[in-house]
């Protein structure tokens, strides 16, 4: 599924959901017991489709799928889910919001979910202080036009800060 951005210009269409991401989500559902099928097959198809989208040569894709441990859906359920989430994150590398949501939802890649500690690349000492942002804040215009609803929402879910953990992501 794509949505053409900047129509009339010679650009790559914005990918809303790729075939690769779709297959990786099916593999995740199978591993979680929410669907039936061959998780390994969907996992490798997801990796293949993601690599094809970015024009990786077929021989390199075949070599990766045949020889890399990351291409084999083995290990415990948690290890399999980590591999799937990591591949979904890679598949969505040009879609920052989706990549952010994958890490926030699954906790993987774990190095990202744990936050950052490099003061030269990240502004430490802020409200996040290097922690992975858990939510987006309401914009200033929302406070101006819908202040009562924002106040009620903040009362129910907690303060309007990026570090506020929501109820549904992996904690």
């Amino acid at each position: 599924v794509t949505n053409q951005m900047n129509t009339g210009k010679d650009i790559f269409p914005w990918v809303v959901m790729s075939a690769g991401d779709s297959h990786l989500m099916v593999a995740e559902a199978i591993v979680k017991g929410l669907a039936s099928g061959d998780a390994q097959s969907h996992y490798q198809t997801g990796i293949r489709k993601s690599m094809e989208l970015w024009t990786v040569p077929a021989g390199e894709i075949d070599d990766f799928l045949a020889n890399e441990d990351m291409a084999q859906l083995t290990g415990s359920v948690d290890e399999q889910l980590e591999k799937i989430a990591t591949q979904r994150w890679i598949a969505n590398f040009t879609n920052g919001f989706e990549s952010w949501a994958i890490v926030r939802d699954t906790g993987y890649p774990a190095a990202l979910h744990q936050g950052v500690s490099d003061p030269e690349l990240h502004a430490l000492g802020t409200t996040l202080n290097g922690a992975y942002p858990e939510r987006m804040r309401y914009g200033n215009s929302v406070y101006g036009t819908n202040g009562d609803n924002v106040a009620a929402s903040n009362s129910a879910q907690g303060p309007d800060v990026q570090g506020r953990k929501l109820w549904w992501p992996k904690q």
Side-chain angles (χ1 to χ4, degrees):
V1 177
T2 62
N3 180 23
Q4 185 69 40
M5 292 177 59
N6 202 16
T7 303
K9 304 289 184 190
D10 186 22
I11 61 169
F12 192 80
W14 180 47
V15 177
V16 176
M17 178 183 284
S18 69
D21 196 25
S22 176
H23 279 281
L24 291 166
M25 285 190 284
V26 171
E28 179 181 355
I30 294 168
V31 169
K32 288 181 173 179
L34 302 172
S36 61
D38 183 356
Q40 174 67 25
S41 176
H42 281 285
Y43 179 67
Q44 285 204 340
T45 299
I47 294 170
R48 177 179 297 283
K49 294 291 185 185
S50 295
M51 293 174 95
E52 287 173 352
L53 179 65
W54 303 110
T55 65
V56 175
E60 290 180 29
I61 297 171
D62 292 340
D63 184 53
F64 179 85
L65 294 176
N67 298 310
E68 293 295 327
D69 179 60
M70 189 62 175
Q72 307 308 314
L73 203 51
T74 58
S76 68
V77 168
D78 282 341
E79 290 168 333
Q80 291 178 45
L81 292 174
E82 179 176 9
K83 285 182 175 184
I84 293 168
T86 300
Q87 288 300 321
R88 284 194 64 217
W89 180 77
I90 292 168
N92 283 285
F93 81 98
T94 60
N95 185 344
F97 288 119
E98 186 65 20
S99 296
W100 169 60
I102 290 165
V103 175
R104 186 181 57 172
D105 181 38
T106 66
Y108 300 118
L112 291 175
H113 193 257
Q114 292 166 2
V116 296
S117 61
D118 187 342
E120 296 200 20
L121 295 176
H122 304 279
L124 302 180
T126 64
T127 57
L128 282 174
N129 200 29
Y132 195 78
E134 295 294 329
R135 60 165 286 200
M136 294 177 66
R137 296 189 61 221
Y138 296 119
N140 289 339
S141 64
V142 176
Y143 278 96
T145 60
N146 220 348
D148 291 341
N149 287 336
V150 172
S153 176
N154 287 341
S155 176
Q157 69 186 10
D160 184 18
V161 294
Q162 288 181 310
R164 173 76 181 137
K165 291 189 184 287
L166 301 175
W167 63 270
W168 55 267
K170 183 169 183 134
Q171 300 295 322

